[in-house]
Amino acid sequence: MGALFGDSLSKGLYLFISDRQLLIACGAGAGLASVYQVPFASALFVLETLGVCWKLKNIIIILATTYVSAYCAKPIIGGHTLYIVDKVTIDSSSFILAQWIFSGNSSAYLPVILIIKCLLVCLLLRSGAYGGTLTPSFAIGVGTGYLITVLLRNFGFSHSLSLGMLLGTTLDPP
């Protein structure tokens, strides 16, 4: 909604295309900052993910919009936890399995895990559960990118696993 508002406002003000793009990106960042109460992370999202140039003017405008939107939404959103998560215990086996995959090793169960994750995310969202698709799409994209890169290695293509996982994050959400 923030990006749409930024687009409409920039059209109405007859701004140059670079200023319009900045205003649209600021609107997206402001929406993220207000909903999740994370203005600084939202500013980084605008600069890194949306590809806004790291100029001092842009940084000041982005920081101003994200902090003002978070401040204005705080009475509505509140300071309470948005998502209630049960206590998570991490044992040595789960840590070793996660570190093993982060270190570049493979798991024979990764394709099955990826398919199950895709199905669960789609079923949950389709059944009316509310939540974002950003984090699940990153997780699914990373797994898909990893698998595709491993499969391409079998056909003689030698790309880095990190690049494959990074490109996988650009996939559309399920």
Side-chain angles (χ1 to χ4, degrees), residues 45-126:
F45 170 78
V46 171
L47 288 164
E48 293 176 354
T49 307
L50 300 181
V52 174
C53 183
W54 286 72
K55 293 192 300 188
L56 183 59
K57 175 190 113 176
N58 293 351
I59 293 171
I60 291 171
I61 292 170
I62 292 166
L63 285 171
T65 56
T66 57
Y67 274 91
V68 167
S69 69
Y71 176 78
C72 291
K74 187 153 182 105
I76 298 166
I77 301 294
H80 60 284
T81 305
L82 293 177
Y83 302 106
I84 306 299
V85 179
D86 291 335
K87 185 177 180 181
V88 177
T89 58
I90 300 175
D91 59 0
S92 59
S93 64
S94 64
F95 176 74
I96 291 169
L97 174 58
Q99 186 56 50
W100 185 64
I101 291 180
F102 289 142
S103 297
N105 297 308
S106 178
S107 170
Y109 299 113
L110 189 59
V112 174
I113 292 169
L114 186 63
I115 291 168
I116 291 171
K117 179 156 181 79
C118 288
L119 288 173
L120 287 175
V121 168
C122 290
L123 285 173
L124 285 170
L125 292 175
R126 181 76 176 157

Side-chain angles (χ1 to χ4, degrees), residues 102-161:
F102 289 142
S103 297
N105 297 308
S106 178
S107 170
Y109 299 113
L110 189 59
V112 174
I113 292 169
L114 186 63
I115 291 168
I116 291 171
K117 179 156 181 79
C118 288
L119 288 173
L120 287 175
V121 168
C122 290
L123 285 173
L124 285 170
L125 292 175
R126 181 76 176 157
S127 67
Y130 60 91
T133 58
L134 184 65
T135 302
S137 68
F138 279 150
I140 292 167
V142 166
T144 305
Y146 180 86
L147 285 176
I148 290 172
T149 305
V150 169
L151 290 174
L152 287 176
R153 284 185 172 182
N154 293 334
F155 294 104
F157 297 99
S158 60
H159 298 288
S160 77
L161 289 174

